[in-house]
Amino acid sequence: MPSSRPRQFDLIAFDWDGTLFDSTAIITRCIQRAVVDVGGQEPTREAASYVIGMALMPALAHAAPDVSPEKYPALGERYRHHYIAHQNDISLFEGVLPLLHALKARHHWLTVATGKSRHGLNEALRDVELREVFDGSRTADETAGKPSPLMLHELMREFGVEPERTLMIGDTTHDLQMALNAGCASVGVSYGAHEPEAFHALKPRHVAHSVQDLHDWLLQHA
């Protein structure tokens, strides 16, 4: 049953990888393999997962401090090679579709704010048949990477929504810092790339430990 409480947020922006899409482990391994492919030292799982959510090339550069900039094009190419080989192994987290449909029924604007490229997001939306669910989206290659607030600023301007009526949901400190920089509220999810202990300094309204937890909180508080 839809909540009868007044709606607090008109615009809800979701991160993609690690928040809606169960891709964190595969992305982490693809980063590690790409760095080794170009002669760098394999980053730890923690170092590779930390950069998830950032724009691709800054993320890879951060994960591979011993790789010289002239190798960055090859580094990007090797990451894409490994990711494409595994992209069909990735799916939405269980419970995401009912969550999104419940929010649509309450007439929230639903958007995506992601470190993926526009091409990558469009492919992912097509693969899981979610193009019609989201009202808008921004990607790192067409605005600015997280934690710059530009993605959220552009989405708020597109839909005519003020920061206090906007909620950002993500699995990384990059997501929550972006929300803070944009003057928006945020919710963190603990089942993605970053450990939730790092979230508290960024003042999320809630940290959800499962999609069902997120669903319940949003229907009660969003």
Side-chain angles (χ1 to χ4, degrees):
M1 289 286 292
S3 171
S4 60
R5 294 164 58 92
R7 187 173 64 193
Q8 183 170 354
F9 299 108
D10 299 316
L11 175 64
I12 301 178
F14 288 91
D15 171 58
W16 187 259
D17 289 305
T19 300
L20 299 178
F21 214 50
D22 188 7
S23 50
T24 299
I26 285 177
I27 290 175
T28 298
R29 191 66 191 132
C30 290
I31 291 171
Q32 291 174 313
R33 289 176 176 171
V35 174
V36 171
D37 285 352
V38 298
Q41 181 176 350
E42 180 176 305
T44 64
R45 183 187 63 80
E46 292 76 15
S49 63
Y50 173 78
V51 302
I52 294 174
M54 299 168 62
L56 178 60
M57 289 316 302
L60 292 174
H62 191 282
D66 59 333
V67 172
S68 59
E70 58 265 25
K71 291 186 177 180
Y72 287 173
L75 181 60
E77 187 280 324
R78 294 310 296 166
Y79 170 80
R80 285 185 283 269
H81 167 82
H82 291 299
Y83 184 84
I84 288 168
H86 291 283
Q87 63 183 354
N88 293 330
D89 303 334
I90 308 172
S91 61
L92 292 169
F93 284 109
E94 184 176 356
V96 163
L97 285 176
L99 166 61
L100 295 175
H101 289 308
L103 294 173
K104 287 291 280 187
R106 299 205 323 181
H107 306 293
H108 297 280
W109 295 114
L110 300 184
T111 64
V112 176
T114 178
K116 297 179 81 66
S117 67
R118 170 53 59 190
H119 176 73
L121 178 61
N122 285 348
E123 281 201 332
L125 289 171
R126 184 196 66 227
D127 289 345
V128 295
E129 299 181 353
L130 280 183
R131 280 183 170 177
E132 304 307 314
V133 172
F134 290 104
D135 300 293
S137 60
R138 288 296 186 279
T139 60
D141 61 335
E142 63 190 10
T143 58
K146 302 169 185 178
S148 167
L150 185 58
M151 286 188 212
L152 291 178
H153 284 164
E154 290 189 359
L155 287 167
M156 288 188 285
R157 189 160 56 245
E158 179 178 342
F159 292 97
V161 178
E162 297 300 316
E164 60 269 20
R165 303 287 298 179
T166 301
L167 178 68
M168 176 68 204
I169 301 171
D171 68 311
T172 71
T173 55
H174 315 305
D175 298 310
L176 306 190
Q177 185 66 59
M178 176 174 67
L180 206 57
N181 292 346
C184 303
S186 68
V187 166
V189 302
S190 68
Y191 51 80
H194 286 190
E195 294 298 323
E197 290 75 20
F199 293 167
H200 301 300
L202 300 172
K203 301 180 172 59
R205 297 285 181 91
H206 179 63
V207 176
H209 298 295
S210 66
V211 174
Q212 186 61 54
D213 182 1
L214 179 63
H215 189 148
D216 294 343
W217 189 91
L218 289 172
L219 292 191
Q220 183 70 18
H221 298 284

